[in-house]
Amino acid sequence: MTYRYGSIQANARRLHRRHQTLGLAGWLAVSFMTAGIGAIASVNATQFYAALAQPSWAPPAGAFGPVWTTLFALMGIAAWLVWREGGWRRQRGALALFLVQLAVNALWSWLFFVWHLGALALVEVILLWSMILVMFIAFWRVRPLAGLLLLPYLVWVSLAMALTYSVWQLNPQLLG
């Protein structure tokens, strides 16, 4: 009887680990799908970005890919940590906010790199920054580590907000 109980516990742990692993993979997949949508809009970004007047403090174009890859990974892990605290049913508000801000995140690349709408890209990045701040608070309340994982994202989007404004102001002919 004890052996059978131990076997049942081992199976439950394996199922639980598998469920958690699939959950992590799912949240990372959602995050990186957003990155893919933004990347589609950024296919010609290198040429367009190089043609823009930049402030002296602008990061080099080569920094954006590695930074965004890291940020999307951190976002996915943060969402997974929140999801682990009761799943979608218990954390619906925080996780829905996460999904909406991903959509807003992907939209910026289209506004800026495809449609060349500097003013709308600025308004959009301000909205994104606000959503990240609210999401940071919501995630922190569920699991402080999940909130902390969003701080680099908030800092980078703060820089992106300032950069969007500066580049728009320096390039009114290209970013109408």
Side-chain angles (χ1 to χ4, degrees):
M1 188 68 125
T2 305
Y3 177 74
R4 182 176 177 177
Y5 178 72
S7 175
I8 291 170
Q9 281 184 321
N11 284 339
R13 276 194 303 274
R14 268 193 301 275
L15 286 173
H16 180 71
R17 250 184 268 132
R18 183 170 185 227
H19 180 73
Q20 292 300 319
T21 301
L22 288 173
L24 175 59
W27 288 107
L28 287 170
V30 168
S31 292
F32 283 107
M33 284 185 338
T34 301
I37 292 167
I40 291 167
S42 302
V43 167
N44 296 318
T46 304
Q47 297 151 348
F48 179 68
Y49 191 72
L52 296 171
Q54 306 271 338
S56 61
W57 49 268
F64 290 92
V67 169
W68 277 113
T69 299
T70 302
L71 294 175
F72 279 113
L74 291 174
M75 283 187 267
I77 293 166
W80 173 67
L81 289 172
V82 169
W83 172 80
R84 288 182 64 186
E85 301 296 325
W88 180 262
R89 184 171 294 158
R90 236 177 112 207
Q91 303 304 335
R92 179 176 295 139
L95 294 172
L97 178 60
F98 174 77
L99 294 173
V100 171
Q101 73 78 33
L102 283 177
V104 172
N105 178 307
L107 178 60
W108 185 91
S109 294
W110 290 87
L111 290 169
F112 193 85
F113 290 120
V114 177
W115 302 319
H116 304 166
L117 299 172
L120 278 176
L122 178 62
V123 169
E124 195 274 353
V125 76
I126 293 168
L127 172 64
L128 177 62
W129 187 91
S130 302
M131 293 179 81
I132 297 166
L133 182 61
V134 172
M135 187 173 64
F136 163 77
I137 293 166
F139 277 31
W140 177 273
R141 287 180 178 163
V142 174
R143 180 110 187 247
L145 177 58
L148 287 175
L149 290 175
L150 296 176
L151 285 180
Y153 182 34
L154 187 63
V155 169
W156 185 256
V157 172
S158 298
L159 174 69
M161 191 168 35
L163 187 58
T164 300
Y165 176 77
S166 294
V167 171
W168 171 51
Q169 292 299 298
L170 291 170
N171 298 276
Q173 71 287 2
L174 295 174
L175 291 168

